[in-house]
Amino acid sequence: MSFTRRTFLQTGAALPLLGSLPTLAKAELSLGSATLTTVSDGNLVLPANFIFETMPQDELAPLIQEFSLSGERITPECNLALYQDGTNTVLFDVGSGPDFMPSAGSVVNSLDAIGVAPEDVTHVLFTHAHPDHIWGLLDDFDEPVFYEAEYMMGRAEWDYWWNPETVNTIGDARAAFAVGAKRRMEMIENAVTLFDDGQEVLPGIAAVSTPGHTPGHMAFEVRNGSHAAMILGDAIGNHHVAFRKPDWRSGSDQDGDLAIKTRNMLLDRLSSEQMDLIGFHLPNGGIGRAEKSADGYTFVSEAS
């Protein structure tokens, strides 16, 4: 398969540390007669320990230096995948919306920059229900942004966040995640379709169970003819330690040990099949491939 018409749309300097308007990044992948495009929702601003605290610090230090990371904070991109096959316009996740972080929540502007209006989206498929993936469901008036879309979520993920006990068991640091997810899910309760692992949720789009980051996290294999790509969500959450050291526990994962198994499964498959991937928090628009290396794996960006 080939990459076509990659552009990066600049609408002003991005200052992620200050929470200013983000760069609108677009990367596009040709998938047979269909296209997969990533559109930016901005970026997150997180304390570095949110990911790194659970890792061996002596071994981590050289990687922080190699990848020019900050030991204080990280600012990962938020890249939403948009699939268009001439019939369906499918958005994977909906971003952060106006209530999570000032540096994120710009997906509607990014879609507008490529000529896609909210009402053009026919389906929204959720990888999981963390704030940067589902809080963008509602606008400032608590109305659904993608009001013409059919909403679809994995059954295990829906059941987890719908359970009234989740807010009491998820831990204080993530309690607001549970409250925010439930409130938004209540708005689509009567309009959501649930699916299970391995199910073809739409023509050419199959659900792939990838738990660990959340209990019911789903990736999606998108196939058009002989061409395929994997939409990862947060199952592989960054381009540095997740690839180089997939056996390290990440503080961003709700079940660190299960996430390790999922990460290794995905990286082995993606590298052996040389399948294109789209990662929500991977750099330069998030499209690329995984290559096996002597010390783990390497993310090879489509933009590199």
Side-chain angles (χ1 to χ4, degrees):
M1 68 191 70
S2 62
F3 298 109
T4 61
R5 300 202 333 265
R6 187 186 75 240
T7 60
F8 288 92
L9 306 176
Q10 303 294 334
T11 61
L15 297 174
L17 301 185
L18 300 178
S20 64
L21 289 175
T23 300
L24 303 182
K26 174 194 171 190
E28 188 173 281
L29 170 65
S30 176
L31 201 68
S33 60
T35 57
L36 268 170
T37 308
T38 57
V39 288
S40 176
D41 194 50
N43 65 273
L44 301 183
V45 181
L46 301 169
N49 278 345
F50 181 69
I51 290 178
F52 298 144
E53 188 172 21
T54 57
M55 299 176 180
Q57 299 301 301
D58 289 348
E59 296 179 64
L60 175 64
L63 289 180
I64 288 178
Q65 183 174 7
E66 178 183 346
F67 286 94
S68 300
L69 305 173
S70 167
E72 299 298 322
R73 64 178 68 191
I74 53 176
T75 58
E77 294 181 16
C78 298
N79 300 301
L80 280 69
L82 181 75
Y83 178 70
Q84 297 170 290
D85 63 5
T87 301
N88 294 321
T89 297
V90 184
L91 187 64
F92 294 84
D93 297 324
V94 291
S96 296
D99 298 327
F100 186 47
M101 287 189 181
S103 58
S106 62
V107 67
V108 172
N109 291 336
S110 295
L111 287 168
D112 181 67
I114 60 170
V116 177
E119 61 268 25
D120 295 332
V121 176
T122 61
H123 300 80
V124 169
L125 271 57
F126 292 104
T127 62
H128 65 297
H130 276 168
D132 50 329
H133 296 258
I134 196 173
W135 281 22
L137 183 68
L138 302 178
D139 62 19
D140 288 322
F141 303 99
D142 276 354
E143 296 292 336
V145 174
F146 303 99
Y147 50 88
E148 294 289 345
E150 178 182 350
Y151 303 99
M152 309 180 80
M153 185 182 289
R155 192 180 314 276
E157 186 74 358
W158 179 276
D159 290 346
Y160 173 74
W161 297 100
W162 195 256
N163 186 338
E165 285 303 307
T166 293
V167 69
N168 301 318
T169 58
I170 198 173
D172 292 344
R174 288 186 167 96
F177 292 12
V179 173
K182 182 70 175 292
R183 184 168 77 84
R184 286 156 179 83
M185 291 162 65
E186 287 172 345
M187 300 296 290
I188 60 170
E189 177 184 6
N190 298 320
V192 69
T193 298
L194 303 181
F195 56 84
D196 299 298
D197 178 34
Q199 186 174 336
E200 186 177 44
V201 295
L202 288 170
I205 303 176
V208 180
S209 179
T210 49
H213 184 68
T214 62
H217 190 287
M218 284 283 184
F220 297 94
E221 181 178 347
V222 182
R223 186 172 292 275
N224 191 303
S226 61
H227 302 154
M230 187 75 73
I231 295 168
L232 298 172
D234 285 359
I236 302 177
N238 58 68
H239 67 292
H240 35 83
V241 292
F243 279 81
R244 189 67 63 81
K245 301 292 184 182
D247 289 329
W248 285 1
R249 289 173 59 97
S250 172
S252 66
D253 296 325
Q254 291 185 219
D255 185 333
D257 292 337
L258 184 55
I260 288 170
K261 294 179 181 178
T262 290
R263 227 171 7 253
N264 278 293
M265 176 274 291
L266 284 170
L267 287 166
D268 178 68
R269 181 182 175 190
L270 291 166
S271 61
S272 62
E273 297 182 16
Q274 280 297 283
M275 185 186 295
D276 289 291
L277 61 86
I278 298 178
F280 193 89
H281 293 303
L282 300 183
N284 300 321
I287 297 178
R289 295 195 180 191
E291 290 189 356
K292 190 76 174 71
S293 61
D295 53 352
Y297 297 86
T298 299
F299 173 61
V300 181
S301 170
E302 179 265 343
S304 60

